[in-house]
Amino acid sequence: FPSHDRELDKVRKSKVHFYSRNEKTSWIFDKLNSIITIINENYYNYNLNGYSDFQYTEYHASEHGKYDWHMDIVHGATKYNQTRKLSCVLCISEPNKDFFGGEFQINLGKESKAETVATKKGRVIIFPSFMIHRVKPVTKGKRKSIVVWVLGPKFK
């Protein structure tokens, strides 16, 4: 897979670590679960089965941290024959204080019409996993976030 890694490095420059639910992390899962439930019931009404871990991500300005345009949908076989339905991003550093740049954008059909989503420390952004989105390069500091992908049966 070395060629794939080089290609991914062109698209994504970040440090990631995955955390499962345990005594130290359960409060994070509880907070996210309540937000996900409310948003899903009020806006999407997707058939969801949950998620097993979260991804902690750091984008460093010193490494030009970024994640170019992508979707979170996994094509082909998925874990437990589920698909990613909702993507959730929790910003845990303060924009324009802890980091500069690193704007979160969703592509609404044309890159030129991409919407920059206002972020602040503690804000959760939830959107369908099939939406194209990106994190622009961090120009100063370190952008930290927690990401989860909520799974459910394949769309019909």
Coordinates of all heavy atoms in Angstrom, one line a residue, residues 15 31 52 59 67 74 97 103 109 115 123 143 147 153:
K15 N -2.4 14.2 12.2 CA -2.1 13.1 13.1 C -3.4 12.6 13.7 O -4.2 13.5 14.2 CB -1.2 13.6 14.3 CG 0.2 14.1 13.7 CD 1.1 14.4 14.9 CE 2.4 15.0 14.5 NZ 3.1 14.4 13.3
K31 N -21.9 12.8 25.7 CA -22.2 14.1 25.1 C -22.5 14.0 23.7 O -23.5 14.6 23.2 CB -21.1 15.1 25.4 CG -20.8 15.4 26.8 CD -21.8 16.5 27.2 CE -21.5 16.9 28.6 NZ -22.5 17.8 29.2
S52 N -18.4 2.9 17.2 CA -17.6 2.2 18.3 C -16.5 3.0 18.8 O -16.0 2.7 19.9 CB -17.1 0.8 17.8 OG -16.3 1.0 16.7
Y59 N -4.2 18.9 13.4 CA -3.6 19.5 12.1 C -2.6 20.5 12.6 O -3.0 21.5 13.2 CB -4.7 20.2 11.3 CG -5.8 19.3 10.8 CD1 -7.0 19.1 11.6 CD2 -5.7 18.6 9.6 CE1 -8.0 18.2 11.1 CE2 -6.7 17.8 9.1 CZ -7.8 17.6 9.9 OH -8.8 16.8 9.5
Y67 N -7.0 18.7 5.1 CA -7.6 17.5 4.6 C -8.4 18.0 3.4 O -9.5 18.6 3.6 CB -8.5 16.8 5.6 CG -8.8 15.3 5.2 CD1 -9.4 14.5 6.2 CD2 -8.6 14.8 4.0 CE1 -9.7 13.2 5.9 CE2 -8.9 13.5 3.7 CZ -9.5 12.7 4.7 OH -9.8 11.4 4.4
V74 N -17.7 5.1 2.9 CA -16.8 4.0 2.5 C -17.5 3.2 1.5 O -18.6 2.6 1.7 CB -16.4 3.2 3.8 CG1 -15.5 2.0 3.4 CG2 -15.8 4.0 4.8
K97 N -7.3 31.7 17.9 CA -6.6 31.8 19.1 C -5.5 30.6 19.2 O -4.3 30.9 19.3 CB -7.5 31.7 20.3 CG -6.9 31.8 21.7 CD -7.9 31.8 22.8 CE -7.1 31.8 24.1 NZ -8.0 31.6 25.2
E103 N -10.0 26.3 8.2 CA -11.5 26.4 8.0 C -12.1 25.1 7.6 O -11.6 24.4 6.7 CB -11.8 27.5 7.1 CG -11.4 28.9 7.5 CD -10.0 29.3 7.0 OE1 -9.3 28.4 6.5 OE2 -9.6 30.5 7.2
G109 N -21.9 21.8 -4.2 CA -22.1 21.6 -5.6 C -21.0 22.1 -6.5 O -20.7 21.5 -7.6
E115 N -19.2 26.3 1.3 CA -19.7 27.1 2.5 C -18.7 26.8 3.6 O -18.4 25.7 4.0 CB -21.1 26.6 2.9 CG -21.6 27.4 4.1 CD -23.0 27.0 4.5 OE1 -23.8 26.7 3.6 OE2 -23.3 27.0 5.7
R123 N -18.1 23.5 19.6 CA -19.2 23.4 18.6 C -19.1 22.0 17.8 O -18.0 21.6 17.4 CB -19.2 24.5 17.6 CG -20.2 24.4 16.5 CD -20.4 25.6 15.7 NE -21.1 26.6 16.5 CZ -21.1 27.9 16.3 NH1 -20.5 28.4 15.2 NH2 -21.8 28.8 17.0
R143 N -4.8 22.8 15.1 CA -6.2 22.6 15.1 C -6.5 21.2 15.7 O -6.0 20.2 15.1 CB -6.8 22.7 13.7 CG -8.3 22.6 13.6 CD -8.7 22.6 12.1 NE -10.1 22.7 11.9 CZ -10.9 21.7 11.9 NH1 -10.5 20.5 12.2 NH2 -12.2 21.9 11.7
V147 N -13.7 13.4 15.8 CA -14.6 13.1 14.7 C -15.2 11.7 14.9 O -14.5 10.8 15.4 CB -13.8 13.0 13.3 CG1 -14.7 12.6 12.2 CG2 -13.1 14.4 13.1
P153 N -27.7 0.9 8.5 CA -27.9 0.1 7.3 C -27.7 0.9 6.1 O -27.9 2.1 6.1 CB -29.3 -0.4 7.5 CG -29.8 0.0 8.8 CD -28.9 1.0 9.3

